[in-house]
Amino acid sequence: MKKSLQRTWITDILEAVPSVVFLALWRSGFDMETSGWTGALLAAAQLLGFYRFGVFSNPIMLGINLHLLIITPLIMVSFAIGAREFSDALVVHSYRGVLVTVFVVGCVLTLMSRRGFVGIDDVPKRSFWKTSGVLLAASALAIVWAFAYTGAVVLSVAVPMIGLFALRRFLIANILDNENRIGGIALAGGVSAFLAGRDQAGEI
């Protein structure tokens, strides 16, 4: 258990490095191109490393890091081929677009991964569709909010993103609580049956 928690803690840190470095550079006065390429390279290294060693990503962080990997090259290519208006639009909405990428990743994981959007193993089929559906709905609402709200980035993107992380944790805890409750009922039933069997044997 301790080893598992340590591994989770380490993977969480590694997944966060690309976005943390990108934001640190951007907020420190570096231009968007430098910050973006640095984030993209770190995201590529993180994603390849996890793939190489068979480490599962947090689905939300997977969306964030794929966004970092894609957005800067896409902006630069659009600019290079003369699609200036498109590249300008990407720059303006790049931070809101991360929620779109998270939503798309969630759709793909829900349809193609046995772990779903919630991102854990051995989820009962009913809980699988329910939790993934709730997360997808929350992601869609976050996108609407991000593009409708024109105020500070913290309120338009950061707060909804934190909400998605918190919601995922809540859904995982709910799944595990239900499994433990079912396991506890089964154990209690088994003990009762065993004791009943002993009582009947004693009477015979």
Side-chain angles (χ1 to χ4, degrees), residues 34-68:
T34 301
S35 304
W37 278 115
T38 303
L41 290 173
L42 289 173
Q46 180 269 314
L47 292 168
L48 287 172
F50 274 36
Y51 176 78
R52 170 66 178 80
F53 293 102
V55 178
F56 288 108
S57 293
N58 177 319
I60 299 172
M61 286 304 307
L62 177 60
I64 293 172
N65 286 326
L66 282 174
H67 185 78
L68 280 174

Side-chain angles (χ1 to χ4, degrees), residues 11 32 34 76 90 128 149 153 164-165 183:
T11 55
M32 179 65 77
T34 301
M76 298 306 297
L90 287 175
F128 175 95
Y149 181 78
V153 176
L164 289 178
F165 279 108

Side-chain angles (χ1 to χ4, degrees), residues 3 39 45 53 58 75 99 117 124 130-131 142 145 153 172 196:
K3 184 177 180 181
F53 293 102
N58 177 319
I75 290 172
L99 291 167
F117 196 7
K130 180 180 177 180
T131 53
W145 167 257
V153 176
I172 291 174

Side-chain angles (χ1 to χ4, degrees), residues 183-199:
I185 292 172
L187 178 61
V191 171
S192 298
F194 174 72
L195 293 176
R198 287 187 59 183
D199 290 342

Side-chain angles (χ1 to χ4, degrees), residues 92-113:
V92 172
H93 298 296
S94 60
Y95 61 94
R96 292 185 177 94
V98 67
L99 291 167
V100 177
T101 309
V102 169
F103 176 78
V104 172
V105 168
C107 291
V108 173
L109 291 176
T110 299
L111 296 174
M112 302 184 65
S113 170

Side-chain angles (χ1 to χ4, degrees), residues 177-192:
D177 284 345
N178 288 336
E179 286 184 353
N180 289 336
R181 192 177 300 118
I182 293 170
I185 292 172
L187 178 61
V191 171
S192 298

Side-chain angles (χ1 to χ4, degrees), residues 100-158:
V100 177
T101 309
V102 169
F103 176 78
V104 172
V105 168
C107 291
V108 173
L109 291 176
T110 299
L111 296 174
M112 302 184 65
S113 170
R114 57 185 172 80
R115 293 164 61 90
F117 196 7
V118 74
I120 60 173
D121 290 315
D122 303 321
V123 181
K125 190 172 182 179
R126 182 178 179 182
S127 296
F128 175 95
W129 293 110
K130 180 180 177 180
T131 53
S132 292
V134 168
L135 272 175
L136 286 173
S139 299
L141 288 175
I143 293 170
V144 173
W145 167 257
F147 282 91
Y149 181 78
T150 56
V153 176
V154 172
L155 291 178
S156 64
V157 178

